[in-house]
Amino acid sequence: MMYPVIRKLQHKRVVLASASPRRQEILSQAGLRFEVVPSRFKEKLNKASFPTPHAYAIETAKQKALDVARRIHQKDLRAPDIIIGADTIVTIEGLILEKPVDKQDAYQMLSRLNGKEHSVFTGVAIVHCFSQDGQLDVEISQFYEETVVIFSQLSEELLWEYIHSGEPMDKAGGYGIQALGGMLVESIHGDFLNVVGFPLNHFCKKLAELYFAPGAVGLQRVKHDSIPAVDTFENLSEEEGAGLDRRGSQAQGTQDARHARTAESLPPFPTGLLELIAGFQASKALFTACKLKVFDLLQREAPLKAVDIASKIDTSERGTRRLLDVCVALGLLEKTERGYSNSDLATLYLLSDGEFSLRGFIELNDEHTWAAFTHLESAIQEGSSRDHQAVGDEAEGLLQDSCPGRDARLCFMRAKHGLAKLTARQVATALDLSRFSSACHLGGCTGALAHELAREYPRLKVTVFDLPEVIEHVTCFQPSGPQTEQVSFVPGDFFKDSLPEADLYVLSGILRDWPDEKVHRLLSRISGSCKPGGGLLVAEVALDEDPRAARPGLLRSLSRLLQTQGKERSLAKSRQLLQLHGFTDVQVAHTGDVLNMVLATRPAT
């Protein structure tokens, strides 16, 4: 947490009036807990009426926040404690550049910036809300941050290549410094995060002024029976706030004290708990959007209006619009006057043919895990999933050797492939494996990890050993490149058939699927096939003594209870199992919060 002042907000209901995933990420990483309610304020202020570009950015940010305050107050009859509004613009030679409307507009913007110095301004409004007797009372603190950016001298070919990537279309000034657009920038002077979309350092300093200073500075207090409609906001002026009572007068002090007592008498607003209660709704919205191929459509044709999307995916306009707006709130889509388009997150992970696509994992959760969790209560009561009745039987089949059909098997393989692509690099590089010349990945499925091992160790020959019904479908998952010659596939059952010879055996996410009896049996077979000095590399979801730190692994342990006879094991338990089967030298590496890596070797003599 960058500033202690962030802790001052942990028991307040904070709303971010922006759908920008970049702003959400910056504030989340600072430790701020907040809701996202995108503003509907139409950014149509007359730029020529503002004395400076930053004045325009500040006013736009304020109107965004006030729009959200009005809507929440009208809907809930109770406003949140704080609403944060922000607006980022790019200026050069007095001209304000916002988001390009099309590729030609993006080219004109980038050509204007090419080889020159420009400024990025972000205006921020912090709106404190009070509701009493049906009235909404707001205090507004506002500021701006400027960062100077210098572009390199770029060729027209490079500019168009960047434009065709699609990145400029939702970025002020037509570029995103945090992604591919960073290659266009020669230098910056000032706050980098301000260019990304939110000046975190200045924001924290402003909060410190408001919460720690002897008297709050720079606040405007505005009272409304209800906040006026958006169309009237353009008529608000600085004079309106200047003539109102300021904090510090005797009357104002009495009212502030009343607000403080009221806030202290109420329990903290349970934002996180409410999000947890309704969390399944967000998951189902994501699953549905993927099933309807919304993200694939927008990758080809964005931006599109809701009515056009509904026509193309054969759904109702009313339902489609609601689904799309939820996806905007979740950071999966972005919305402008021209229509909806994919966010960076969706482009990276939610396209059917993306390199790091998680669509298979989403499909598995939607069609199998979701149904399995309807049996959670009985599984908790009985300690198992009633011998994997109904959905449980099918789910176990996906994970074991009784896949109920080609479609279900391919669903499972796509899920494993997507997850393996995310973690394969970490698994391959967490420990030094250069002394091994051959490896066998038991239960290696599509070979995603095998190919990453081959890329990292050009001398390593890797065999993927999995069930025949899995191996017959691996062709469509194979990459191109010289490393493919290092990887081979052998069908077989690692409980029944002879294991391929190798210096190193690999188990990734396998041991957790089996009860102790079968784990001992598998480790005994590996130990018997392993040569002196040979090794076993084990990658499993990390567990931790602190349940809060072990959340991903613990949630998967519930899935194991419902879908298999397996269980999650602690690092200490895994070490004991390996040593029991002759793997005396055990090295451990942690890859963030996701996986524990264990390399266990047999004595050389």
Side-chain angles (χ1 to χ4, degrees), residues 463-472 489-493 497-498 500:
T463 301
V464 176
F465 189 69
D466 213 321
L467 298 169
E469 52 266 39
V470 172
I471 298 299
E472 68 175 313
F489 293 84
V490 175
D493 185 330
D497 300 321
S498 298

Side-chain angles (χ1 to χ4, degrees), residues 20 26 74 86 120 132 174 176 252 305 320 330 359-360 370 379 412 417 451 454 465 479 499 522 536 538 575:
S20 166
I26 291 169
Q74 288 180 347
V120 178
Q132 187 173 7
Q252 188 64 61
K305 301 284 189 181
T320 301
L330 294 174
R359 288 287 291 273
W370 181 282
F412 171 63
H417 185 75
H451 285 289
F465 189 69
L499 304 183
L522 177 58
L536 172 60
V538 179
R575 186 192 297 268

Side-chain angles (χ1 to χ4, degrees), residues 61 78 101 160 202 208 266 302 319 376 429 515 575 579:
R78 177 174 182 260
V101 297
W160 276 111
H202 198 156
L266 293 173
L376 180 60
T429 59
R575 186 192 297 268
Q579 291 176 339

Side-chain angles (χ1 to χ4, degrees), residues 521-539:
R521 182 179 166 191
L522 177 58
L523 291 178
S524 178
R525 301 194 86 228
I526 295 173
S527 179
S529 300
C530 199
K531 304 171 185 176
L536 172 60
L537 182 68
V538 179

